[in-house]
Amino acid sequence: MFSPLALLLTGSPPSYQLFTLVPSVMSVLRKSMSFSLMGTLAASCLLLVALWAQKADALPINSQCKLEAANFQQPYIVNRTFMLAKEASLADNNTDVRLIGEELFRGVKAKDQCYLMKQVLNFTLEDVLLPQSDRFQPYMQEVVPFLTKLSSHLSPCHISGDDQNIQKNVRQLKETVQKLGESGEIKAIGELDLLFMSLRNACV
Amino acid sequence: MPKHCFLGLLIMLLTTATETQPAHVSLKPQKVQFQSRNFHNILHWQPGNSLTSNGSVYFVQYKTYGQGQWKDKNDCWGTTALFCDLTKETLDPYEPYYGRVMMAWAGSYSEWTRTPRFTPWWETKLDPPVVTITRVNASLRVRLRPPELPHRNQTGKNTSMENYYNLVYRVSIINNSLEKEQKAYEGTQRAVEIQGLTPHCSYCVVAEMYQPMFDRRSPRSKERCVQIP
């Protein structure tokens, strides 16, 4: 019965995970309330969790939403990324629709924009570059590992609190790509220069 | 009677419609592209057909990528030139832009020919810095001036070339008697002092700008030479 708690307390999960784990811990605890000893134990554990959570709350929320400037200063991969974007943009005849632009950042505070771009980056990697990975060679095979590296650097980047606007804007971008089908994917590749620059502006 | 009128109107409409329709694909302007130097962005194109080069006029439109509407470029609306200055319309160097050109010749209109997507920051070519030197005893003061940016109407936006890139100046000095070239400076300052020059030698100074982010260099400046007494 205590195993989830023990796991929680002995392991050292990143602080943000505490929040998401608390509700499940609570439900485990509720079932154990019939035993008074367990109850006190649980209560003290709860207290501990609450303390931990408080500590986590005190941490600067976006501190991990950061990328080193050096990531964007390697001329070879910068050139490759921009050339890939150029190639794909030549195949994109839809000049009216833009994925990475003003609308994407609408209502998103500057400090949350790196988190927003993380979402866009991960979507681009999984739902765009992966299915299109045979195309636009040789750039693709060089740019994808680079972007994957940026994505893994950003994996601890989370924000707590209200991210409704961010999710809405990201959802809109995804829907646009999906609605356009394959040409939406080409469009997203054609905007890798914008993705690159937005990541740099938002995360460095 | 009204039926006749309507039919006549319809025929008229149809004929004018076919007239404004593209007569030949070959009328379409060719090689429509931006040529950009120091963020001065000029749209260039070629006639679709050499036979039509007399008496043809061109119409130019532009827009930012993602906008629904094309905007007319009034200065190049019915121009006979084969270029159009869109610097003012493409002032934000980080934005992607498009331009397009249509030709009219002998009452026919071509289709539009569009440029590839154009991002000034990425595509503009930088000229070399202008170098001036003054000799002070046995040392040289070198001043470097980057190319001028397009004039901005908005006041207070006092940005410099260095702000757009992490520009690095590279200054080399050539000892004429030894015919030897040496790097004298690499850095971000516009004013450099070169010391320890040998008396009675003549030296020439040459400079270039380097964009580390793209590993690109500008052409080299004109050599400036001086004799050390």
Side-chain angles (χ1 to χ4, degrees):
Chain A
M1 180 143 292
F2 271 103
S3 58
L5 256 184
L7 191 88
L8 176 66
L9 294 174
T10 52
S12 53
S15 49
Y16 59 84
Q17 281 182 359
L18 270 174
F19 282 113
T20 52
L21 282 174
V22 167
S24 59
V25 169
M26 296 268 273
S27 66
V28 169
L29 290 177
R30 229 173 277 126
K31 284 178 206 153
S32 68
M33 280 306 178
S34 49
F35 307 93
S36 64
L37 178 66
M38 291 251 184
T40 15
L41 253 175
S44 52
C45 281
L46 243 183
L47 191 72
L48 208 64
V49 168
L51 280 171
W52 273 38
Q54 220 172 9
K55 199 177 129 208
D57 201 27
L59 279 172
I61 294 158
N62 296 322
S63 63
Q64 285 155 319
C65 292
K66 257 204 162 340
L67 288 170
E68 294 293 321
N71 286 308
F72 301 93
Q73 289 166 350
Q74 306 157 35
Y76 183 79
I77 202 67
V78 174
N79 279 308
R80 289 294 167 155
T81 307
F82 278 63
M83 269 142 91
L84 174 57
K86 181 98 203 170
E87 286 266 309
S89 76
L90 289 174
D92 178 11
N93 289 321
N94 183 344
T95 62
D96 299 351
V97 177
R98 177 166 166 182
L99 304 170
I100 298 175
E102 243 174 81
E103 265 173 60
L104 179 64
F105 298 101
R106 192 163 293 158
V108 181
K109 294 190 201 99
K111 68 177 177 64
D112 295 337
Q113 288 187 357
C114 184
Y115 176 72
L116 168 78
M117 287 315 298
K118 172 198 162 150
Q119 310 280 317
V120 176
L121 172 64
N122 288 347
F123 166 73
T124 307
L125 275 166
E126 287 156 31
D127 293 12
V128 174
L129 296 178
L130 203 65
Q132 295 287 340
S133 56
D134 297 340
R135 300 186 62 179
F136 305 113
Q137 296 297 351
Y139 309 119
M140 187 66 92
Q141 68 185 39
E142 297 174 323
V143 172
V144 167
F146 166 68
L147 294 177
T148 307
K149 193 183 77 186
L150 294 187
S151 163
S152 71
H153 286 331
L154 284 176
S155 65
C157 166
H158 285 76
I159 61 164
S160 74
D162 184 27
D163 67 344
Q164 266 187 3
N165 241 331
I166 298 174
Q167 297 314 337
K168 194 187 85 206
N169 294 5
V170 173
R171 195 166 55 240
Q172 219 156 41
L173 180 144
K174 289 183 184 175
E175 280 169 6
T176 306
V177 172
Q178 276 146 13
K179 203 165 65 196
L180 293 172
E182 185 167 6
S183 64
E185 292 170 9
I186 304 294
K187 178 174 285 296
I189 302 170
E191 293 192 21
L192 282 181
D193 56 338
L194 299 173
L195 177 76
F196 178 94
M197 293 304 288
S198 305
L199 268 171
R200 193 184 77 150
N201 291 342
C203 304
V204 170
Chain B
M1 188 61 177
K3 228 178 203 171
H4 260 104
C5 251
F6 177 72
L7 207 70
L9 194 72
L10 198 73
I11 289 167
M12 221 170 76
L13 271 174
L14 276 173
T15 44
T16 45
T18 43
E19 247 171 31
T20 49
Q21 281 283 307
H24 309 283
V25 180
S26 60
L27 279 184
K28 273 182 75 173
Q30 301 290 304
K31 296 188 181 163
V32 181
Q33 56 192 340
F34 281 96
Q35 285 174 22
S36 178
R37 275 168 88 105
N38 310 315
F39 298 104
H40 292 84
N41 310 321
I42 319 289
L43 192 68
H44 286 260
W45 60 89
Q46 290 176 9
N49 187 328
S50 56
L51 293 174
T52 62
S53 48
N54 269 340
S56 52
V57 290
Y58 298 91
F59 303 90
V60 173
Q61 290 187 329
Y62 65 92
K63 72 169 176 179
T64 306
Y65 172 45
Q67 288 178 342
Q69 297 290 315
W70 290 89
K71 296 187 197 104
D72 300 343
K73 170 65 179 168
N74 290 329
D75 296 349
C76 312
W77 199 251
T79 182
T80 53
L82 294 176
F83 62 89
C84 176
D85 188 342
L86 288 175
T87 303
K88 269 189 282 185
E89 289 71 22
T90 52
L91 266 187
D92 187 335
Y94 303 108
E95 282 289 308
Y97 297 100
Y98 284 109
R100 65 178 189 180
V101 185
M102 177 178 71
M103 191 190 84
W105 181 73
S108 311
Y109 292 90
S110 76
E111 285 176 77
W112 291 99
T113 310
R114 179 171 59 68
T115 63
R117 200 178 295 167
F118 167 70
T119 308
W121 181 77
W122 160 243
E123 288 172 61
T124 201
K125 294 207 161 47
L126 297 187
D127 280 341
V130 174
V131 175
T132 49
I133 56 173
T134 25
R135 185 186 59 79
V136 181
N137 299 324
S139 62
L140 280 182
R141 292 208 179 123
V142 181
R143 294 204 141 270
L144 304 156
R145 193 159 47 83
E148 299 234 349
L149 290 172
H151 182 69
R152 265 147 225 277
N153 290 333
Q154 310 107 300
T155 45
K157 255 206 156 180
N158 198 13
T159 188
S160 66
M161 193 66 91
E162 289 96 333
N163 288 354
Y164 287 139
Y165 307 101
N166 301 315
L167 273 189
V168 172
Y169 294 103
R170 285 177 171 171
V171 180
S172 298
I173 187 158
I174 302 154
N175 182 331
N176 284 336
S177 47
L178 298 173
E179 289 182 4
K180 208 173 103 183
E181 184 179 320
Q182 265 186 313
K183 190 189 278 184
Y185 174 75
E186 176 161 338
T188 55
Q189 288 173 35
R190 289 189 186 185
V192 178
E193 190 158 332
I194 303 173
Q195 293 172 323
L197 301 173
T198 319
H200 316 303
C201 277
S202 83
Y203 289 95
C204 294
V205 175
V206 69
E208 65 182 28
M209 287 187 303
Y210 179 64
Q211 297 164 257
M213 190 167 176
F214 304 133
D215 189 27
R216 275 191 217 156
R217 65 202 65 219
S218 73
R220 305 183 106 200
S221 69
K222 282 208 190 87
E223 287 184 12
R224 296 282 171 221
C225 302
V226 72
Q227 171 84 35
I228 307 291

